Structure formats: structure tokens, C-alpha cells
Amino acid sequence: MKKFLICVLCLILCSFFVIPANAYQITEYEMHHEAGMVVYLDKNEDVVIYEKNADKKMYPGSITVLLTALVMVDEIPDIENTKIVYTNYANNLILGTGSVVLNLKVGEEISAKDALAALLVSSCGDAAYAIAEHVGGSKEGFAKLMNEKAAEIGLTNSHFTNPVGLHDDEHYTTARDIYKLALVCFKNELIKELCSSSFYKIAATNMSKERTIVTSNMLINVTSNAYYKYAKAGKTGYTEKAGRCVVSTGKYSGYEYMVIVLNAKTSGGVRNDFKDAANMFRWAFNNFEYKSVFESTTPVAEAPIKLARETDFLPICFESGFEALLPKDANASTLVFDIKLDKETYSAPIKKGTVVGTADIYYAEEKIGSLNLVAGQSVKSDFWLVIIDAAKRFLTSPFMIVVYCLVGLAAVVFLISVATLNSGKKKRRKVKYIPLSKEKYNDFNDK
């Protein structure tokens, strides 16, 4: 067992040198975005496998409408049967902004669902302001609802001032907050369905005929050169200050990821937002897999154990096997375990499976999970060793130490008392001899 422990420790130390420093960096493709993320979407816990400036303040453009949609579905219970009227107020807010519009007319009534579709499929600014006025009473009133919803879902570095993402220095977010927002939005079936639609038919209204709108997300548009067949729900954004932005989910062979690209620059006339997003998906799909890297029956350490004759060391194992999303070339030898035992030494009896500590598991200096550590076998105690240990513990207990001190103190007091008594007796027995003078001696004899 001692040899095994030495081997395990050597393996752990060696693993520090085999982990590539860029294990979670995209190296296969040239990236053009200022901020972004790749997140593995797992039913138990999402895993961030790439991030760049994820907490930097960025302008989102019309990715903003994801939050607008979330507020809308919360505030309008009956999306299918609710009508929204486009007013002069909404029209004046969108005129001259350069936003994409559905060309709603003042006084036009549109269903809430169609307004939501115009918002999510084509980022129509007139639909956004019509929704904002209907739900919040005004642009400012709706912005207040947006920021309240943002706080509710954990967007800690964001602030919003309008429903469509027109530039405002105080209208900002981060890649990490967009991930949180999109995660919540895509759990809503209607929002997810509309964000996955390459086109949508707006029903005829009191002032317009039926019209078809096309998605601004070229990743899901089969007629586009940027089409990526594994892309699913997503949303784009653009302003001059925000640059080209996109958030999208993608699914392939049972793996689902979310990618976020913010402020992707155009180079050589090519839009790099969709190019970066597709390459990030390809990198994730090609380089990572969910795998089991070791079994729970394999000992990973050992600890001294007393009161047993059969063994001096307790084998320690993980409570369960370990599974995680890892690079395809990763294995047990490329993982680092930070083992923390509850005690330095254990006492028999101990039952197999008893939790004795924890281990944090690292890959490329990133923590990827934690597991309980358990006793790898049952160890029986020896009767006589238990008796001897109990006696030893009793004789060295605080109670006995007090007893020893009291006995010692009593002995000291006794010795001091004896010494004092003996000294007094000697003084009483001693007679002082005083010789007589010659005169007194003669007088004494005459008598």
C-alpha cells in the first residue's frame, strides 16, 4: 500500500507538467470578437469551456430584445389574444434611429404574439416600442421593468434603457450576463420557438396585409452562406458601437452548447460574428466529450489506521466514479486531485464506504468537480489493542492528569509537613550547656 501511495503521488505531481496551458483556449481558428463565451449546457451543471473578456462591459445591440421578450411574456398572460396598438408615442421614439422596422402604422393593431415574433425574428424596433408602451406605459416605465427582471435573474453587470438595444452609454451588459439571460429565455417554449424560426408570417391587421419576416440570424437561415446546420435558437445584435453580436445554441450528437460573440469586427467585407460563432461550435463539438475518467473502486490515497492487526493503512477511494466534460485526449493522468482528509489517522473499526474526506478535481488548473472520499475497505478492530488504547487514553486523560497533579501536590505537602515536624522535635531536645565560674563552683561545693 505504501508503494501504491508513492506511485499515486508521483502521478499527481507529474500531471502538473502534462496539462497544456491552453487547454481551454480556441487555437484552431482565428477569432475576431472582443468578448465571448462557449458554455456546455448540461442538465445538472453548465460548464464554461471558453471565455474572453466575459465580464467586460459591452453594448449588446438588439440582443436586448431577449430581455424585452422575457418581461413581455411575464406581464401579458394571454399572448395569443392580446392586441397591441401602435401609437404616435412609439412611432416618435423609433423614427430616425436606423432600427429595423415592421413598418407599423399609427393606429395599427397587432397581436401580442406577432409583435413578439417581429421582435425576436427580425429585431423590429417599432414592435419593441409598441410592446414597451403597452406593458410599461412608457419607454422609462418599461426600462424600469427590464432592470428589475435583470436583477431577478442574476444579471449583475447590466443596465438597460430601451427595449431594442439602441445605443446609450448606460445601456450595457456582459457576455456572462447574456449567457444567463439567454439560458432563462430559451427555457420559455414560445421565445425559444421564435428564436429558432428562420421566417415568420405576421397575420393581416386592421391596416396591413399578411407579411413574412425573415430572421436576422444567418446561422439558421438555410439560404445564407453563414448557415450552420447545428445551430438552434439564437439572437443577433448590431449598432455601430456594439459591433456585430450573436448568441446562439447549437446541438450535435447529444451535446448542446451556447456561444456568445460580442463586437465581432468585419474584415475584408466578411461579417465575422457568424463565422466566429460557427467556429466556436466546431471547436467545442470536435474537441470535447463527456467521459468517465476513473472508477470508484480505484484507491487514490491511503491513511494510517490504528487498533487493527490486519493492516496499518486504510485505502481511500472516491465515493463514485467521475464523469465530466473534458478534452477528448484527457484521461486520469491529466487530472490533479486536491485531497483533504478529515483526520491524519483513523481508528478501527471502520466500515467500507464511510466518508473520510473530499477531493477537488482539476484539469488545466481549472476546478472541474468535487467528490467525497470514502474508506475503500472495512477494517475490524482488535480487542486487546482496543483495551490497551482505552487504558492509555484513560491514563493520559485530563481527569487523570488532574489526579496526578493532586497526588503530587499532596505528596509535596506531606513531605513539607514531615520535615517541619522533625525540625521542631530536634529543637526541643537540644540542651544548652553553660559552665560555672570558679566562684560559683566553690560556693556550690561549700554547701
Side-chain angles (χ1 to χ4, degrees), residues 90-101:
N91 191 56
N92 289 335
L93 287 171
I94 201 65
L95 281 178
T97 63
S99 174
V100 174
V101 292

Side-chain angles (χ1 to χ4, degrees), residues 28 83 103 158 177 180 193 216 343 386 403 434 442:
E28 288 91 338
K83 293 289 185 180
N103 286 320
S158 299
D177 277 1
K180 295 175 186 176
E193 176 190 339
S216 60
K343 302 176 182 177
V386 171
V403 171
I434 303 174
N442 291 331

